[in-house]
Amino acid sequence: MENILILPGDGIGPEVMGEVRRVIDWFGTQRGFDVSLDEDLVGGCAYDAHGAAISDAAMEKAMAADAVLLGAVGGPKWDNVAYAARPEAGLLRLRADLELFANLRPAICFSALADASSLKRDLVEGLDIMIVRELTGGVYFGEPRGITDLGNGQRRGVNTQVYETYEIERIARVAGDIAMKRDRRLASAEKRNVMESGLLWNEEVTRIVSAEFPDLALEHVLADNCAMQLVRNPKQYDVLVTDNLFGDILSDVAAMLTGSLGMLPSASLGAPDAETGRARALYEPVHGSAPDIAGEGKANPIASIMSFAMALKYTFDRADDADLLERAVMHVLDAGFRTGDIMQPDMKAVGTSGMGDAVLAALNELGK
Ligand code: NAD
Protein backbone atom coordinates (compact mmCIF):
# COMPACT_ATOMS: atom_id res chain seq x y z
CA MET A 1 0.00 0.00 0.00
CA GLU A 2 1.20 3.51 -0.84
CA ASN A 3 1.47 6.14 1.84
CA ILE A 4 0.70 9.85 1.35
CA LEU A 5 1.06 12.63 3.92
CA ILE A 6 -1.21 15.62 3.32
CA LEU A 7 -0.09 18.95 4.80
CA PRO A 8 -2.89 21.41 3.93
CA GLY A 9 -1.22 24.38 5.65
CA ASP A 10 -2.83 27.82 5.88
CA GLY A 11 -5.29 30.07 4.06
CA ILE A 12 -6.79 28.36 1.01
CA GLY A 13 -4.53 25.32 1.57
CA PRO A 14 -7.16 23.27 3.47
CA GLU A 15 -9.85 24.21 0.92
CA VAL A 16 -7.91 23.12 -2.17
CA MET A 17 -6.50 20.03 -0.47
CA GLY A 18 -10.05 18.97 0.43
CA GLU A 19 -10.73 18.65 -3.31
CA VAL A 20 -7.47 16.73 -3.82
CA ARG A 21 -8.63 14.23 -1.18
CA ARG A 22 -11.82 13.63 -3.15
CA VAL A 23 -9.76 13.02 -6.30
CA ILE A 24 -7.44 10.61 -4.46
CA ASP A 25 -10.49 8.74 -3.15
CA TRP A 26 -11.81 8.46 -6.69
CA PHE A 27 -8.57 6.85 -7.89
CA GLY A 28 -8.78 4.52 -4.89
CA THR A 29 -12.30 3.29 -5.58
CA GLN A 30 -12.29 3.44 -9.40
CA ARG A 31 -8.70 2.65 -10.38
CA GLY A 32 -7.37 0.50 -7.55
CA PHE A 33 -4.95 3.12 -6.23
CA ASP A 34 -4.29 1.54 -2.83
CA VAL A 35 -3.19 4.37 -0.58
CA SER A 36 -3.23 5.27 3.07
CA LEU A 37 -3.64 8.99 3.80
CA ASP A 38 -2.36 10.81 6.85
CA GLU A 39 -2.63 14.53 7.59
CA ASP A 40 -0.67 16.98 9.72
CA LEU A 41 0.04 20.68 10.22
CA VAL A 42 2.57 22.93 8.50
CA GLY A 43 3.07 26.70 8.46
CA GLY A 44 1.20 29.20 10.63
CA CYS A 45 -1.30 26.63 11.91
CA ALA A 46 1.60 24.44 13.10
CA TYR A 47 3.14 27.46 14.82
CA ASP A 48 -0.17 28.15 16.60
CA ALA A 49 -0.37 24.53 17.75
CA HIS A 50 3.28 23.72 18.51
CA GLY A 51 5.30 26.96 18.34
CA ALA A 52 7.18 25.67 15.27
CA ALA A 53 6.30 25.79 11.56
CA ILE A 54 6.48 22.01 11.44
CA SER A 55 6.66 19.64 14.40
CA ASP A 56 9.23 16.85 14.70
CA ALA A 57 6.38 14.35 14.63
CA ALA A 58 5.07 15.74 11.32
CA MET A 59 8.63 15.71 9.92
CA GLU A 60 8.94 12.04 10.86
CA LYS A 61 5.75 11.27 8.97
CA ALA A 62 7.06 13.21 5.96
CA MET A 63 10.31 11.24 6.01
CA ALA A 64 8.38 7.97 6.02
CA ALA A 65 5.81 8.94 3.35
CA ASP A 66 6.04 7.89 -0.30
CA ALA A 67 4.86 11.39 -1.18
CA VAL A 68 3.96 14.57 0.66
CA LEU A 69 1.16 16.73 -0.75
CA LEU A 70 1.28 20.31 0.54
CA GLY A 71 -1.29 23.11 0.21
CA ALA A 72 0.22 26.50 1.05
CA VAL A 73 1.66 28.29 4.06
CA GLY A 74 1.63 31.79 5.46
CA GLY A 75 -0.65 34.76 6.00
CA PRO A 76 -0.72 38.18 7.68
CA LYS A 77 -1.55 36.62 11.05
CA TRP A 78 2.06 35.37 11.28
CA ASP A 79 3.86 38.39 9.83
CA ASN A 80 5.51 39.22 13.15
CA VAL A 81 6.51 35.71 14.18
CA ALA A 82 10.25 35.20 14.84
CA TYR A 83 12.22 34.46 11.65
CA ALA A 84 13.05 30.85 12.59
CA ALA A 85 9.41 30.01 13.32
CA ARG A 86 7.79 31.82 10.37
CA PRO A 87 5.44 29.68 8.24
CA GLU A 88 7.92 29.38 5.32
CA ALA A 89 10.43 27.78 7.70
CA GLY A 90 8.23 24.65 7.64
CA LEU A 91 8.59 24.44 3.87
CA LEU A 92 12.34 25.05 4.01
CA ARG A 93 12.77 22.33 6.63
CA LEU A 94 10.80 19.87 4.52
CA ARG A 95 12.95 20.64 1.49
CA ALA A 96 16.20 20.42 3.46
CA ASP A 97 15.46 17.30 5.53
CA LEU A 98 13.95 15.40 2.59
CA GLU A 99 16.97 16.55 0.50
CA LEU A 100 14.75 17.72 -2.34
CA PHE A 101 17.28 19.06 -4.83
CA ALA A 102 15.19 18.98 -8.00
CA ASN A 103 12.23 21.30 -8.49
CA LEU A 104 9.94 20.45 -11.40
CA ARG A 105 7.71 23.22 -12.69
CA PRO A 106 5.62 22.37 -15.73
CA ALA A 107 4.27 25.32 -17.70
CA ILE A 108 1.26 24.06 -19.60
CA CYS A 109 -1.06 26.38 -21.46
CA PHE A 110 -4.52 24.90 -21.81
CA SER A 111 -6.15 25.85 -25.06
CA ALA A 112 -9.28 27.03 -23.21
CA LEU A 113 -7.20 29.55 -21.23
CA ALA A 114 -4.77 30.72 -23.91
CA ASP A 115 -6.38 34.16 -24.01
CA ALA A 116 -5.48 34.72 -20.34
CA SER A 117 -1.77 34.69 -21.20
CA SER A 118 0.13 37.93 -21.59
CA LEU A 119 1.39 36.58 -24.93
CA LYS A 120 -0.58 36.06 -28.13
CA ARG A 121 -2.63 32.87 -28.35
CA ASP A 122 -0.61 31.33 -31.20
CA LEU A 123 2.63 31.68 -29.20
CA VAL A 124 1.29 29.87 -26.12
CA GLU A 125 -1.56 27.59 -27.21
CA GLY A 126 -0.45 24.00 -26.62
CA LEU A 127 2.61 25.12 -24.66
CA ASP A 128 4.02 22.28 -22.54
CA ILE A 129 7.45 22.95 -21.02
CA MET A 130 9.04 21.34 -17.99
CA ILE A 131 11.50 23.49 -16.07
CA VAL A 132 13.87 21.52 -13.85
CA ARG A 133 15.45 23.84 -11.29
CA GLU A 134 18.30 22.92 -8.96
CA LEU A 135 16.90 23.71 -5.51
CA THR A 136 19.45 23.18 -2.77
CA GLY A 137 22.69 24.71 -4.08
CA GLY A 138 24.03 27.79 -5.83
CA VAL A 139 23.97 31.38 -4.72
CA TYR A 140 21.08 31.04 -2.24
CA PHE A 141 23.17 28.72 -0.06
CA GLY A 142 26.83 29.36 -1.00
CA GLU A 143 29.39 30.53 1.56
CA PRO A 144 30.76 33.07 2.27
CA ARG A 145 27.65 35.18 2.57
CA GLY A 146 26.55 38.12 4.66
CA ILE A 147 26.75 41.86 5.08
CA THR A 148 29.90 43.34 6.61
CA ASP A 149 30.58 46.85 7.78
CA LEU A 150 33.69 48.17 6.05
CA GLY A 151 34.14 50.85 8.72
CA ASN A 152 34.33 53.74 6.28
CA GLY A 153 30.62 54.34 6.02
CA GLN A 154 30.35 51.56 3.44
CA ARG A 155 28.94 48.05 3.79
CA ARG A 156 29.55 44.98 1.62
CA GLY A 157 26.92 42.37 0.78
CA VAL A 158 28.25 39.00 -0.37
CA ASN A 159 26.68 35.86 -1.76
CA THR A 160 28.56 33.07 -3.41
CA GLN A 161 27.49 31.11 -6.47
CA VAL A 162 29.00 27.68 -6.02
CA TYR A 163 28.31 24.28 -7.58
CA GLU A 164 30.16 21.02 -7.24
CA THR A 165 30.20 18.20 -9.77
CA TYR A 166 27.83 15.89 -7.84
CA GLU A 167 25.18 18.61 -7.60
CA ILE A 168 25.20 19.18 -11.34
CA GLU A 169 25.35 15.46 -12.12
CA ARG A 170 22.27 14.60 -10.10
CA ILE A 171 20.10 17.42 -11.46
CA ALA A 172 21.26 16.57 -15.01
CA ARG A 173 20.15 12.97 -14.40
CA VAL A 174 16.70 14.03 -13.19
CA ALA A 175 16.30 16.29 -16.23
CA GLY A 176 17.65 13.60 -18.56
CA ASP A 177 15.20 11.00 -17.23
CA ILE A 178 12.28 13.37 -17.66
CA ALA A 179 13.36 14.42 -21.16
CA MET A 180 13.61 10.76 -22.20
CA LYS A 181 9.97 10.29 -21.15
CA ARG A 182 8.94 13.34 -23.18
CA ASP A 183 10.23 14.71 -26.47
CA ARG A 184 13.90 13.77 -25.92
CA ARG A 185 14.99 17.39 -26.09
CA LEU A 186 16.87 19.05 -23.24
CA ALA A 187 18.02 22.67 -22.99
CA SER A 188 20.45 23.70 -20.25
CA ALA A 189 20.70 27.37 -19.21
CA GLU A 190 23.68 29.03 -17.48
CA LYS A 191 26.06 31.98 -17.90
CA ARG A 192 29.28 30.25 -18.99
CA ASN A 193 30.37 33.45 -20.71
CA VAL A 194 30.83 35.32 -17.41
CA MET A 195 30.75 32.74 -14.61
CA GLU A 196 33.09 29.81 -13.92
CA SER A 197 30.23 28.01 -12.14
CA GLY A 198 28.33 28.32 -15.44
CA LEU A 199 31.23 26.84 -17.36
CA LEU A 200 31.38 23.90 -14.97
CA TRP A 201 27.59 23.47 -15.23
CA ASN A 202 27.84 23.43 -19.01
CA GLU A 203 30.66 20.86 -19.07
CA GLU A 204 29.13 18.52 -16.49
CA VAL A 205 25.70 18.55 -18.13
CA THR A 206 27.33 17.76 -21.49
CA ARG A 207 29.30 14.91 -19.93
CA ILE A 208 26.30 13.30 -18.18
CA VAL A 209 24.04 13.60 -21.19
CA SER A 210 26.56 12.16 -23.65
CA ALA A 211 27.47 9.29 -21.30
CA GLU A 212 24.03 8.40 -19.95
CA PHE A 213 21.46 9.85 -22.35
CA PRO A 214 22.99 9.49 -25.81
CA ASP A 215 19.54 9.67 -27.45
CA LEU A 216 18.80 13.13 -26.06
CA ALA A 217 19.22 16.25 -28.16
CA LEU A 218 21.05 18.65 -25.82
CA GLU A 219 21.20 22.39 -26.37
CA HIS A 220 23.01 24.95 -24.20
CA VAL A 221 21.54 28.42 -23.92
CA LEU A 222 22.76 31.48 -22.01
CA ALA A 223 20.28 32.20 -19.22
CA ASP A 224 19.61 35.80 -20.33
CA ASN A 225 18.96 34.66 -23.88
CA CYS A 226 16.73 31.92 -22.48
CA ALA A 227 14.57 34.55 -20.74
CA MET A 228 14.16 36.31 -24.07
CA GLN A 229 13.40 33.09 -25.93
CA LEU A 230 10.75 32.16 -23.36
CA VAL A 231 8.75 35.26 -24.22
CA ARG A 232 9.63 35.22 -27.94
CA ASN A 233 8.98 31.59 -28.84
CA PRO A 234 8.40 29.47 -25.73
CA LYS A 235 7.27 26.36 -27.62
CA GLN A 236 10.84 25.79 -28.87
CA TYR A 237 11.62 24.22 -25.46
CA ASP A 238 10.59 20.87 -24.06
CA VAL A 239 12.65 20.25 -20.89
CA LEU A 240 14.81 23.06 -19.52
CA VAL A 241 17.37 22.43 -16.76
CA THR A 242 19.01 25.27 -14.86
CA ASP A 243 20.47 26.32 -11.53
CA ASN A 244 18.72 27.66 -8.44
CA LEU A 245 18.88 31.38 -9.20
CA PHE A 246 18.17 31.27 -12.93
CA GLY A 247 15.54 28.60 -12.32
CA ASP A 248 13.76 30.83 -9.83
CA ILE A 249 13.43 33.53 -12.45
CA LEU A 250 12.91 31.46 -15.60
CA SER A 251 10.21 29.31 -13.99
CA ASP A 252 8.28 32.44 -13.00
CA VAL A 253 8.59 33.79 -16.54
CA ALA A 254 7.29 30.48 -17.91
CA ALA A 255 4.49 30.48 -15.33
CA MET A 256 3.19 33.83 -16.52
CA LEU A 257 2.89 32.47 -20.05
CA THR A 258 0.17 30.14 -18.88
CA GLY A 259 -2.21 32.72 -17.44
CA SER A 260 -3.07 31.91 -13.83
CA LEU A 261 -1.34 31.08 -10.59
CA GLY A 262 -4.28 28.89 -9.63
CA MET A 263 -3.36 26.45 -12.43
CA LEU A 264 0.32 25.77 -11.73
CA PRO A 265 1.55 22.58 -10.07
CA SER A 266 5.06 21.69 -8.94
CA ALA A 267 7.09 18.78 -7.64
CA SER A 268 10.32 18.64 -5.66
CA LEU A 269 12.29 15.41 -5.79
CA GLY A 270 15.26 13.95 -3.94
CA ALA A 271 17.68 11.22 -4.95
CA PRO A 272 16.21 7.81 -5.82
CA ASP A 273 16.45 5.30 -2.96
CA ALA A 274 19.20 2.75 -3.68
CA GLU A 275 16.87 -0.20 -2.99
CA THR A 276 13.43 0.88 -4.17
CA GLY A 277 14.47 3.38 -6.84
CA ARG A 278 11.80 5.72 -5.47
CA ALA A 279 12.75 9.32 -4.70
CA ARG A 280 11.51 11.34 -1.75
CA ALA A 281 8.95 13.78 -3.12
CA LEU A 282 6.89 16.82 -2.21
CA TYR A 283 4.09 18.04 -4.47
CA GLU A 284 2.56 21.49 -4.09
CA PRO A 285 0.81 24.20 -6.07
CA VAL A 286 2.97 27.20 -7.01
CA HIS A 287 0.51 29.68 -5.50
CA GLY A 288 0.52 30.84 -1.89
CA SER A 289 -2.17 30.81 0.78
CA ALA A 290 -4.21 33.61 -0.86
CA PRO A 291 -5.38 35.21 2.41
CA ASP A 292 -7.57 37.63 0.41
CA ILE A 293 -9.97 34.81 -0.54
CA ALA A 294 -9.27 32.24 2.19
CA GLY A 295 -12.33 30.65 3.78
CA GLU A 296 -14.66 31.87 1.04
CA GLY A 297 -14.78 28.71 -1.06
CA LYS A 298 -13.50 30.61 -4.09
CA ALA A 299 -10.00 29.18 -4.55
CA ASN A 300 -9.11 27.28 -7.69
CA PRO A 301 -8.10 23.73 -6.70
CA ILE A 302 -6.65 22.84 -10.13
CA ALA A 303 -3.00 23.61 -9.29
CA SER A 304 -3.23 21.23 -6.32
CA ILE A 305 -5.11 18.60 -8.33
CA MET A 306 -2.47 18.82 -11.08
CA SER A 307 0.23 18.46 -8.40
CA PHE A 308 -1.40 15.16 -7.42
CA ALA A 309 -1.31 14.19 -11.13
CA MET A 310 2.45 14.76 -10.98
CA ALA A 311 2.63 12.49 -7.92
CA LEU A 312 0.79 9.77 -9.85
CA LYS A 313 3.37 10.07 -12.62
CA TYR A 314 6.67 10.65 -10.82
CA THR A 315 6.21 8.80 -7.51
CA PHE A 316 3.58 6.16 -8.15
CA ASP A 317 4.48 5.23 -11.74
CA ARG A 318 0.86 5.58 -12.81
CA ALA A 319 1.35 7.58 -15.98
CA ASP A 320 -2.03 6.45 -17.38
CA ASP A 321 -3.85 7.71 -14.30
CA ALA A 322 -1.91 10.99 -14.43
CA ASP A 323 -2.88 11.35 -18.05
CA LEU A 324 -6.54 10.63 -17.23
CA LEU A 325 -6.54 13.29 -14.52
CA GLU A 326 -4.92 15.87 -16.83
CA ARG A 327 -7.48 15.09 -19.53
CA ALA A 328 -10.29 15.45 -16.97
CA VAL A 329 -9.02 18.93 -16.05
CA MET A 330 -8.80 19.88 -19.73
CA HIS A 331 -12.33 18.58 -20.26
CA VAL A 332 -13.65 20.71 -17.39
CA LEU A 333 -12.00 23.83 -18.80
CA ASP A 334 -13.28 23.08 -22.31
CA ALA A 335 -16.76 22.69 -20.82
CA GLY A 336 -16.49 26.26 -19.51
CA PHE A 337 -16.16 25.74 -15.74
CA ARG A 338 -14.20 28.62 -14.21
CA THR A 339 -13.23 29.75 -10.71
CA GLY A 340 -12.91 33.53 -10.23
CA ASP A 341 -9.19 33.69 -11.01
CA ILE A 342 -9.68 32.29 -14.54
CA MET A 343 -13.17 33.65 -15.22
CA GLN A 344 -13.97 34.71 -18.77
CA PRO A 345 -17.19 36.10 -20.31
CA ASP A 346 -20.05 33.60 -20.75
CA MET A 347 -18.35 30.84 -18.74
CA LYS A 348 -19.82 28.88 -15.82
CA ALA A 349 -18.71 30.37 -12.48
CA VAL A 350 -17.94 27.76 -9.83
CA GLY A 351 -16.26 27.78 -6.43
CA THR A 352 -13.65 25.41 -5.03
CA SER A 353 -16.00 22.48 -4.44
CA GLY A 354 -17.88 23.15 -7.69
CA MET A 355 -14.60 22.80 -9.57
CA GLY A 356 -13.90 19.59 -7.62
CA ASP A 357 -17.38 18.28 -8.57
CA ALA A 358 -16.70 19.06 -12.23
CA VAL A 359 -13.33 17.25 -12.19
CA LEU A 360 -14.91 14.18 -10.54
CA ALA A 361 -17.73 14.19 -13.10
CA ALA A 362 -15.15 14.38 -15.91
CA LEU A 363 -13.18 11.51 -14.35
CA ASN A 364 -16.37 9.44 -14.22
CA GLU A 365 -17.05 10.21 -17.86
CA LEU A 366 -13.52 9.74 -19.24
CA GLY A 367 -12.47 6.93 -16.89
CA LYS A 368 -15.18 4.48 -17.89
P1 NAD B 1 -0.66 34.13 -3.38
O1 NAD B 1 -0.23 33.13 -4.41
O2 NAD B 1 -1.16 33.57 -2.11
O3 NAD B 1 -1.81 35.07 -4.01
C1 NAD B 1 -1.58 35.96 -5.09
C2 NAD B 1 -2.93 36.29 -5.76
O4 NAD B 1 -3.38 35.15 -6.50
C3 NAD B 1 -4.04 36.60 -4.75
O5 NAD B 1 -4.90 37.59 -5.26
C4 NAD B 1 -4.79 35.29 -4.63
O6 NAD B 1 -6.16 35.43 -4.29
C5 NAD B 1 -4.63 34.71 -6.02
N1 NAD B 1 -4.59 33.23 -5.97
C6 NAD B 1 -3.52 32.47 -5.59
N2 NAD B 1 -3.85 31.18 -5.64
C7 NAD B 1 -5.12 31.11 -6.06
C8 NAD B 1 -6.03 30.04 -6.31
N3 NAD B 1 -5.69 28.75 -6.13
N4 NAD B 1 -7.28 30.34 -6.74
C9 NAD B 1 -7.65 31.60 -6.94
N5 NAD B 1 -6.84 32.67 -6.72
C10 NAD B 1 -5.59 32.42 -6.29
O7 NAD B 1 0.59 35.08 -3.12
P2 NAD B 1 0.76 36.28 -2.06
O8 NAD B 1 -0.53 37.03 -1.92
O9 NAD B 1 1.98 36.97 -2.47
O10 NAD B 1 1.07 35.55 -0.69
C11 NAD B 1 0.09 35.26 0.30
C12 NAD B 1 0.72 34.41 1.40
O11 NAD B 1 1.16 33.17 0.86
C13 NAD B 1 1.97 35.07 2.02
O12 NAD B 1 1.96 34.80 3.40
C14 NAD B 1 3.12 34.35 1.34
O13 NAD B 1 4.28 34.33 2.13
C15 NAD B 1 2.55 32.97 1.16
N6 NAD B 1 3.13 32.18 0.05
C16 NAD B 1 3.27 30.85 0.28
C17 NAD B 1 3.73 30.04 -0.73
C18 NAD B 1 3.80 28.56 -0.46
O14 NAD B 1 3.20 28.09 0.47
N7 NAD B 1 4.50 27.81 -1.27
C19 NAD B 1 4.07 30.56 -1.98
C20 NAD B 1 3.88 31.94 -2.19
C21 NAD B 1 3.40 32.73 -1.17
Side-chain angles (χ1 to χ4, degrees):
M1 184 186 283
E2 313 288 10
N3 160 9
I4 291 181
L5 175 65
I6 300 184
L7 298 172
D10 307 314
I12 60 169
E15 298 167 53
V16 293
M17 294 314 287
E19 301 311 309
V20 173
R21 261 185 181 271
R22 296 171 72 200
V23 170
I24 297 174
D25 288 346
W26 187 92
F27 278 93
T29 54
Q30 305 298 317
R31 307 277 288 193
F33 180 46
D34 193 13
V35 64
S36 124
L37 298 182
D38 198 351
E39 192 167 309
D40 216 308
L41 303 176
V42 69
C45 58
Y47 174 79
D48 289 346
H50 307 295
I54 187 160
S55 67
D56 291 342
M59 261 322 301
E60 256 173 54
K61 288 183 194 171
M63 299 291 272
D66 293 302
V68 179
L69 306 185
L70 189 133
V73 298
K77 182 178 174 197
W78 302 282
D79 276 352
N80 297 318
V81 165
Y83 191 73
R86 71 201 190 283
E88 290 75 14
L91 251 184
L92 295 180
R93 179 165 177 204
L94 278 163
R95 286 181 189 156
D97 289 11
L98 298 176
E99 294 178 73
L100 306 174
F101 64 84
N103 185 225
L104 276 47
R105 292 260 303 252
I108 297 171
C109 183
F110 294 99
S111 178
L113 298 182
D115 292 326
S117 171
S118 47
L119 296 193
K120 296 189 193 89
R121 171 178 276 275
D122 61 316
L123 285 181
V124 291
E125 191 169 13
L127 178 78
D128 182 359
I129 318 178
M130 176 69 83
I131 299 199
V132 180
R133 165 187 171 193
E134 201 289 326
L135 200 59
T136 53
V139 72
Y140 293 162
F141 296 95
E143 298 282 348
R145 63 184 298 160
I147 299 179
T148 46
D149 196 329
L150 299 179
N152 56 355
Q154 299 288 304
R155 295 189 298 158
R156 177 188 289 140
V158 174
N159 291 91
T160 303
Q161 166 81 342
V162 51
Y163 273 106
E164 295 184 16
T165 301
Y166 77 96
E167 296 174 289
I168 306 171
E169 280 176 342
R170 64 187 185 180
I171 193 79
R173 286 195 179 106
V174 169
D177 279 336
I178 291 171
M180 285 303 291
K181 289 182 192 153
R182 293 172 49 110
D183 202 27
R184 302 193 169 193
R185 290 184 295 122
L186 177 63
S188 169
E190 31 60 15
K191 288 282 287 176
R192 63 187 174 279
N193 53 342
V194 286
M195 297 168 78
E196 283 75 7
S197 58
L199 190 58
L200 184 76
W201 181 281
N202 178 294
E203 290 174 1
E204 297 296 345
V205 170
T206 302
R207 186 173 59 77
I208 292 293
V209 169
S210 55
E212 299 179 22
F213 304 95
D215 297 333
L216 271 191
L218 173 66
E219 170 198 3
H220 294 284
V221 56
L222 294 175
D224 50 339
N225 182 26
C226 186
M228 286 199 282
Q229 295 301 327
L230 277 175
V231 290
R232 192 186 71 87
N233 175 20
K235 283 191 257 182
Q236 69 184 288
Y237 296 121
D238 183 43
V239 179
L240 183 60
V241 63
T242 189
D243 74 10
N244 202 345
L245 172 64
F246 298 138
D248 196 359
I249 297 164
L250 295 175
S251 59
D252 274 3
V253 172
M256 274 322 292
L257 303 177
T258 67
S260 168
L261 259 182
M263 301 291 299
L264 296 167
S266 81
S268 299
L269 307 179
D273 182 88
E275 269 170 41
T276 62
R278 191 172 270 185
R280 289 233 169 90
L282 173 87
Y283 297 89
E284 58 181 322
V286 168
H287 63 72
S289 58
D292 52 333
I293 56 167
E296 295 180 17
K298 290 181 182 166
N300 185 351
I302 290 180
S304 298
I305 290 173
M306 295 288 278
S307 299
F308 172 61
M310 292 185 81
L312 286 171
K313 193 178 210 164
Y314 294 110
T315 293
F316 300 113
D317 258 327
R318 299 175 75 99
D320 289 349
D321 284 345
D323 182 58
L324 172 63
L325 184 49
E326 284 167 16
R327 281 189 291 120
V329 167
M330 226 175 289
H331 189 79
V332 163
L333 295 172
D334 287 340
F337 292 96
R338 297 285 187 275
T339 41
D341 56 315
I342 52 173
M343 193 57 195
Q344 293 160 310
D346 305 324
M347 296 289 159
K348 297 172 201 152
V350 286
T352 311
S353 60
M355 188 59 99
D357 292 344
V359 171
L360 290 174
L363 282 170
N364 280 326
E365 196 180 325
L366 300 173
K368 273 182 210 144

